[in-house]
Amino acid sequence: MSKVEKNKKQKESSLYKAAYDLFTTKGINDTAISDIIKKAGVGKGTFYLYFKNKYDILDKIILNKSTHVLSEAIRHTKAREFKDFEEELLYFIDYIIEYLRKDKLMLKLIYKNLSWGVFKKAYNDYEEIHEIYLMFERGYEKSPLHNDDIEKILFIILELTGSVCYSSIILNEPADIDEMKPILFKTVKKIIN
Amino acid sequence: MSKVEKNKKQKESSLYKAAYDLFTTKGINDTAISDIIKKAGVGKGTFYLYFKNKYDILDKIILNKSTHVLSEAIRHTKAREFKDFEEELLYFIDYIIEYLRKDKLMLKLIYKNLSWGVFKKAYNDYEEIHEIYLMFERGYEKSPLHNDDIEKILFIILELTGSVCYSSIILNEPADIDEMKPILFKTVKKIIN
Amino acid sequence: MSKVEKNKKQKESSLYKAAYDLFTTKGINDTAISDIIKKAGVGKGTFYLYFKNKYDILDKIILNKSTHVLSEAIRHTKAREFKDFEEELLYFIDYIIEYLRKDKLMLKLIYKNLSWGVFKKAYNDYEEIHEIYLMFERGYEKSPLHNDDIEKILFIILELTGSVCYSSIILNEPADIDEMKPILFKTVKKIIN
Amino acid sequence: MSKVEKNKKQKESSLYKAAYDLFTTKGINDTAISDIIKKAGVGKGTFYLYFKNKYDILDKIILNKSTHVLSEAIRHTKAREFKDFEEELLYFIDYIIEYLRKDKLMLKLIYKNLSWGVFKKAYNDYEEIHEIYLMFERGYEKSPLHNDDIEKILFIILELTGSVCYSSIILNEPADIDEMKPILFKTVKKIIN
DNA sequence: TATGAATGAGCCTTCATTCAT
DNA sequence: GATGAATGAAGGCTCATTCAT
């Protein structure tokens, strides 16, 4: 990579970092582009060299971060052995929960802006995400379930996990995450059996 | 009600209506207070006589609308006879789904801004909502489940219903609502059994 | 006084009191008429029955308060015996200083809006103020000074007293009032001798 | 200075000039920022590039103008020879009076907003103002007076000068400045002797 | 007389975007 | 490529004043 290339990458990533920090701490509406460039230490025009507008950089951040959680979760899951699919899935979910609990600000940012569409995009752009599908397919391999239905169940479980995390970790509603976890796990077990 | 009193109610409700229409069609961020008052046909100062700012009226609209869906759903459910709790609950959920499918704009508005906190508030302010709890309590009356856990299951089912509706009705992801319904129903059945 | 008359006086004086409290605590610019009527507990239209606008009530308050300080000072001075004019004048000034020190908020309000014009008006409208002139005339009765010059010296001494009070009591500049008093007294003595 | 730099200075100073003209002719309360930028021929945003708000530019104008009067007065005083301190001080005061008489609008603006605090700031930021102190120190060098007391006397004389100018030049009260001058001079002479 | 709901002019302030350097 | 000064549209909000009751 040439010196110029390196410099460009550096500017871009300092913009990402600054935007992420501001979005999570001040909120999206209250973050102006001028805040971002000030924090990133670059000129105002520079922002527009890399991003179309605030929502452009926001979308990219959300995609990055969401993908990262999921790929970390599947990577750790794959590195272990489990006695069955249920155990494996619960480990996977628990990994996500613990990750989000440790990074509440990120949870707040991605959940309210996350959609299955984003997930689909991640699936196409990042190979690691395929593994999540594969895990489900293996889990259901002896079942007569159609592949499309497997996707729907995956969807339901991820939505449920996300909802519960957001509500319990951020709002403490209807109870904190430690109280919700057993219910969530029991629910997931029922869903896949 | 005096003439003045009637006039006030009229202004307030024309503001509500105008704001709701604009929020659902143009979006929250792109709706200015001046848009609202223009549509409502009142002076700018009048807006601030009734609401603190845009988010004040938004919150009130969301609370109203959400409460309305739920209370309509429970009202219709109570008007019927069912052979068991499962049948009753599925009817209740189906009512919500069909309601939201018919009013996509409202779904879009309330879902992304709805939280269990709003629901709790509705529970305290509107008596109809109590009936939802009562339905669940009756459904679980023979079960050894703790009341707190019943609340959590109710929460999970409502979140799931909301998530599935939003994603399938608005985004058609991962499939349209007609395809998702059977999966959702099967899931709910599993959860309560 | 009829009941109606009494009620009117009461409303007017509650407006005065409310306005004074707000002007002194929040400042003139930051006090709105709606603040005043809220505090006074009267309707908005009522304000306009008694005053033309904010500056109308302000002017009247300043005139009242300034006159009150001066007439109290002269009343107390007249109630005592002094060995000469110098002693009398210093007592008079000291009375004003101590009064203003005890009511900093009032000092702040009247000083920045006081002028010799206000004083002149007070002279015409309130008889007590005449006494201040008389004190000076007596003090200078053996001197060949023209009456007009006496007025100018009175003006100079009052301005000086006001300036020193404002600066030292409110701003602590260039020193606090206890440090400034001896200098002020020495100066006044020099001026009249 | 680069072209950009020069352009910036130009914008800033056109804002200063426009604001000063409006403050002095229309008054502070009746001058809106939009008036200022219209007169200055710059965009609204430009104002906020240079000043925080109306009072920011006002404070800076007052400081500039007050400093200017005083530094002009001391500069002219230093350029002459006097037989003693009294003559020197009266010349200095007279210079200020004549300056203010020629620029009534400025007098109106600065006097009601001037305070010893502003003067202190000017003393720290502008070297010329030190000379005023030095003149007083030289004047009192044979006297046993403490330095702090010298400052207080300087304060008193300046306040008195300001008060008299404002009242007589602007309000013609209690007499016009030509009538007040002899009294003021006599008073100052008494104060320093 | 007293009220207070309604108004809308007009203020301040922000901010995305441009473009000359 | 990088900059940041300049912009002005747009928005939020306040408040003196009116007038029907």
Side-chain angles (χ1 to χ4, degrees):
Chain A
M1 216 192 299
S2 77
K3 211 170 151 190
V4 174
E5 285 296 306
K6 239 196 284 194
N7 201 266
K8 277 174 67 177
K9 267 281 158 250
Q10 212 168 59
K11 292 211 186 286
E12 191 184 9
S13 85
S14 73
L15 281 167
Y16 268 125
K17 182 158 178 17
Y20 175 72
D21 287 352
L22 290 164
F23 286 152
T24 48
T25 51
K26 296 182 54 177
I28 296 159
N29 269 332
D30 289 349
T31 297
I33 287 173
S34 75
D35 296 329
I36 298 174
I37 58 110
K38 235 174 273 160
K39 195 170 181 124
V42 303
K44 211 163 210 179
T46 309
F47 181 90
Y48 292 92
L49 250 29
Y50 294 96
F51 305 100
K52 240 177 54 229
N53 53 42
K54 189 164 78 172
Y55 297 100
D56 184 24
I57 193 171
L58 174 62
D59 287 349
K60 283 169 181 161
I61 285 173
I62 288 168
L63 185 58
N64 275 347
K65 294 289 178 179
S66 324
T67 307
H68 189 247
V69 189
L70 293 175
S71 66
E72 279 295 283
I74 196 68
R75 193 170 65 83
H76 278 83
T77 306
K78 280 194 60 182
R80 286 181 162 241
E81 301 260 322
F82 302 96
K83 71 169 194 283
D84 57 19
F85 172 54
E86 182 186 297
E87 200 187 55
E88 188 183 10
L89 180 57
L90 293 183
Y91 180 85
F92 175 74
I93 291 173
D94 193 56
Y95 189 93
I96 294 174
I97 293 172
E98 291 307 318
Y99 191 109
L100 296 176
R101 154 194 270 163
K102 273 175 211 126
D103 199 344
K104 287 187 189 192
L105 294 175
M106 185 183 102
L107 169 57
K108 219 166 151 181
L109 183 68
I110 65 172
Y111 177 61
K112 278 283 159 186
N113 294 282
L114 196 55
S115 68
W116 187 253
V118 171
F119 181 78
K120 272 289 186 62
K121 191 154 170 28
Y123 182 79
N124 294 327
D125 295 359
Y126 299 82
E127 219 159 312
E128 312 89 281
I129 306 299
H130 295 212
E131 297 290 342
I132 301 172
Y133 268 87
L134 295 178
M135 173 177 70
F136 260 73
E137 273 168 22
R138 274 196 315 276
Y140 279 102
E141 73 191 346
K142 277 165 219 147
S143 129
L145 224 55
H146 190 279
N147 251 14
D148 288 357
D149 284 346
I150 294 177
E151 190 192 3
K152 287 167 198 153
I153 291 170
L154 169 56
F155 164 81
I156 279 183
I157 289 172
L158 286 181
E159 284 283 317
L160 199 50
T161 306
S163 284
V164 168
C165 281
Y166 181 76
S167 195
S168 64
I169 293 175
I170 305 293
L171 312 168
N172 257 312
E173 288 287 351
D176 68 47
I177 183 65
D178 288 318
E179 271 188 76
M180 289 305 292
K181 240 195 214 179
I183 307 275
L184 176 63
F185 281 6
K186 213 195 290 177
T187 302
V188 170
K189 277 187 213 165
K190 282 177 176 172
I191 291 174
I192 62 170
N193 290 322
Chain B
M1 214 193 301
S2 79
K3 202 169 153 190
V4 171
E5 213 61 26
K6 235 193 293 196
N7 206 265
K8 277 172 70 175
K9 268 276 159 264
Q10 213 168 59
K11 300 237 176 237
E12 192 185 7
S13 83
S14 73
L15 280 168
Y16 268 125
K17 185 162 174 15
Y20 175 73
D21 287 352
L22 289 163
F23 286 154
T24 48
T25 52
K26 295 182 54 177
I28 297 160
N29 269 329
D30 289 347
T31 298
I33 286 167
S34 70
D35 296 330
I36 299 174
I37 59 113
K38 239 172 271 163
K39 194 171 181 119
V42 303
K44 204 168 241 186
T46 310
F47 179 90
Y48 291 95
L49 236 40
Y50 295 96
F51 306 100
K52 247 181 41 233
N53 53 42
K54 191 163 78 172
Y55 297 99
D56 185 24
I57 193 171
L58 173 62
D59 287 349
K60 282 166 181 162
I61 285 173
I62 289 169
L63 185 59
N64 277 346
K65 295 288 178 179
S66 324
T67 307
H68 189 246
V69 189
L70 293 175
S71 66
E72 280 296 282
I74 196 69
R75 192 169 65 82
H76 278 85
T77 305
K78 279 195 62 183
R80 287 180 162 243
E81 300 263 318
F82 302 95
K83 71 169 198 283
D84 57 17
F85 171 53
E86 183 186 296
E87 202 187 53
E88 188 183 12
L89 179 58
L90 291 183
Y91 180 87
F92 174 74
I93 291 174
D94 193 55
Y95 189 94
I96 294 175
I97 293 172
E98 292 307 317
Y99 191 110
L100 296 177
R101 155 193 269 161
K102 274 176 213 127
D103 199 345
K104 287 188 191 191
L105 294 175
M106 184 183 104
L107 168 58
K108 217 167 151 182
L109 184 68
I110 66 173
Y111 177 60
K112 278 285 157 182
N113 294 283
L114 194 56
S115 70
W116 189 251
V118 171
F119 181 78
K120 274 284 186 64
K121 191 155 171 28
Y123 182 79
N124 293 327
D125 296 359
Y126 300 83
E127 216 157 314
E128 313 89 279
I129 306 299
H130 294 212
E131 297 291 344
I132 302 172
Y133 266 89
L134 293 178
M135 172 177 71
F136 260 75
E137 272 168 23
R138 274 195 315 276
Y140 279 102
E141 75 193 343
K142 277 164 219 147
S143 127
L145 224 56
H146 190 276
N147 253 12
D148 288 356
D149 284 346
I150 294 176
E151 190 193 6
K152 285 168 199 151
I153 290 169
L154 168 56
F155 163 81
I156 277 181
I157 288 171
L158 286 180
E159 286 281 319
L160 200 49
T161 305
S163 285
V164 167
C165 283
Y166 181 76
S167 195
S168 64
I169 293 175
I170 305 293
L171 311 169
N172 259 311
E173 289 286 349
D176 68 47
I177 183 66
D178 288 318
E179 272 187 75
M180 290 304 293
K181 239 195 218 181
I183 305 276
L184 176 63
F185 281 7
K186 211 194 295 177
T187 302
V188 170
K189 278 186 213 168
K190 281 179 177 170
I191 291 175
I192 63 171
N193 290 323
Chain C
M1 213 192 303
S2 78
K3 209 170 147 190
V4 173
E5 285 295 307
K6 236 195 290 195
N7 200 265
K8 277 174 66 176
K9 267 280 159 250
Q10 212 168 57
K11 290 210 187 288
E12 192 184 6
S13 85
S14 72
L15 280 168
Y16 269 124
K17 185 165 173 11
Y20 175 73
D21 286 352
L22 289 164
F23 287 153
T24 49
T25 52
K26 295 182 54 178
I28 296 160
N29 268 330
D30 289 349
T31 297
I33 287 172
S34 76
D35 296 330
I36 298 173
I37 59 110
K38 236 173 274 162
K39 195 169 181 124
V42 303
K44 209 161 210 181
T46 310
F47 180 90
Y48 291 92
L49 292 176
Y50 295 95
F51 305 99
K52 241 178 52 229
N53 54 42
K54 191 164 78 172
Y55 296 100
D56 184 23
I57 193 173
L58 174 62
D59 287 349
K60 283 167 180 160
I61 285 173
I62 288 168
L63 185 58
N64 275 348
K65 294 289 177 178
S66 324
T67 307
H68 189 246
V69 189
L70 293 175
S71 66
E72 279 296 282
I74 197 68
R75 193 170 64 82
H76 278 84
T77 305
K78 281 195 59 184
R80 287 183 162 238
E81 301 261 320
F82 303 95
K83 70 168 197 285
D84 56 19
F85 171 53
E86 181 186 299
E87 200 186 54
E88 188 183 12
L89 179 57
L90 291 183
Y91 181 86
F92 174 73
I93 290 173
D94 193 54
Y95 189 93
I96 294 174
I97 292 173
E98 292 306 317
Y99 191 109
L100 296 176
R101 154 194 270 165
K102 273 177 211 125
D103 199 345
K104 288 185 189 193
L105 293 175
M106 186 184 102
L107 168 57
K108 219 167 151 179
L109 183 68
I110 65 172
Y111 178 61
K112 279 282 159 188
N113 295 280
L114 195 56
S115 68
W116 188 251
V118 171
F119 182 78
K120 272 287 184 65
K121 190 157 172 25
Y123 183 79
N124 293 326
D125 296 358
Y126 300 84
E127 218 161 310
E128 312 89 280
I129 306 300
H130 295 212
E131 298 289 344
I132 300 171
Y133 267 87
L134 294 178
M135 172 177 71
F136 260 73
E137 274 169 20
R138 276 196 314 277
Y140 279 102
E141 72 193 345
K142 277 166 222 146
S143 129
L145 225 54
H146 189 277
N147 250 13
D148 287 356
D149 284 346
I150 294 178
E151 190 192 7
K152 287 169 198 151
I153 290 170
L154 168 56
F155 164 80
I156 277 183
I157 288 171
L158 286 181
E159 284 283 318
L160 199 50
T161 306
S163 283
V164 167
C165 282
Y166 181 76
S167 195
S168 65
I169 293 175
I170 305 294
L171 311 170
N172 257 313
E173 289 287 348
D176 68 48
I177 184 65
D178 289 318
E179 271 186 77
M180 289 306 292
K181 240 194 215 180
I183 306 275
L184 176 63
F185 282 6
K186 213 193 293 178
T187 303
V188 170
K189 278 186 212 166
K190 282 178 176 171
I191 291 175
I192 62 171
N193 290 325
Chain D
M1 215 193 301
S2 78
K3 203 169 155 190
V4 171
E5 213 61 26
K6 236 194 288 197
N7 206 268
K8 278 173 70 175
K9 268 278 160 261
Q10 212 167 59
K11 300 236 175 237
E12 192 184 7
S13 83
S14 73
L15 281 168
Y16 268 125
K17 183 159 177 16
Y20 175 73
D21 288 352
L22 290 163
F23 286 154
T24 48
T25 51
K26 295 182 53 176
I28 296 160
N29 269 331
D30 289 347
T31 297
I33 285 168
S34 71
D35 297 330
I36 299 174
I37 59 113
K38 239 172 272 162
K39 195 170 181 121
V42 303
K44 206 167 235 185
T46 309
F47 179 91
Y48 291 95
L49 235 41
Y50 294 96
F51 306 100
K52 246 179 43 231
N53 53 44
K54 191 163 77 171
Y55 297 99
D56 185 24
I57 193 171
L58 173 63
D59 287 349
K60 282 167 181 162
I61 286 172
I62 289 168
L63 185 58
N64 277 346
K65 295 288 179 180
S66 325
T67 306
H68 189 245
V69 189
L70 293 175
S71 65
E72 279 296 283
I74 195 70
R75 192 169 66 83
H76 279 83
T77 306
K78 279 194 63 183
R80 286 179 161 244
E81 300 262 320
F82 302 95
K83 70 169 197 283
D84 56 19
F85 171 54
E86 183 186 295
E87 200 186 54
E88 187 184 12
L89 178 58
L90 292 183
Y91 180 85
F92 174 74
I93 290 173
D94 193 55
Y95 189 94
I96 294 175
I97 293 172
E98 292 307 319
Y99 191 110
L100 296 176
R101 153 194 272 164
K102 274 176 213 126
D103 199 345
K104 287 189 190 190
L105 294 175
M106 184 182 105
L107 168 58
K108 216 166 153 183
L109 184 68
I110 66 172
Y111 177 61
K112 278 285 158 180
N113 293 282
L114 194 56
S115 70
W116 188 251
V118 171
F119 181 78
K120 272 286 186 64
K121 191 156 170 28
Y123 182 80
N124 293 326
D125 295 359
Y126 299 82
E127 216 156 314
E128 312 90 279
I129 307 300
H130 294 212
E131 297 292 342
I132 301 172
Y133 268 88
L134 293 178
M135 172 178 70
F136 261 74
E137 271 168 24
R138 273 196 315 277
Y140 279 103
E141 74 191 345
K142 277 165 217 145
S143 127
L145 222 57
H146 190 277
N147 253 13
D148 288 356
D149 283 345
I150 295 178
E151 190 193 3
K152 285 168 198 151
I153 291 169
L154 168 56
F155 164 81
I156 278 181
I157 289 171
L158 286 180
E159 285 283 318
L160 200 49
T161 306
S163 284
V164 168
C165 283
Y166 182 75
S167 195
S168 63
I169 293 175
I170 305 292
L171 311 168
N172 259 311
E173 289 286 351
D176 69 46
I177 183 65
D178 288 319
E179 273 188 73
M180 289 304 293
K181 240 193 215 180
I183 305 277
L184 176 63
F185 281 6
K186 212 196 292 177
T187 303
V188 171
K189 278 186 213 162
K190 281 179 177 171
I191 291 175
I192 61 170
N193 291 325

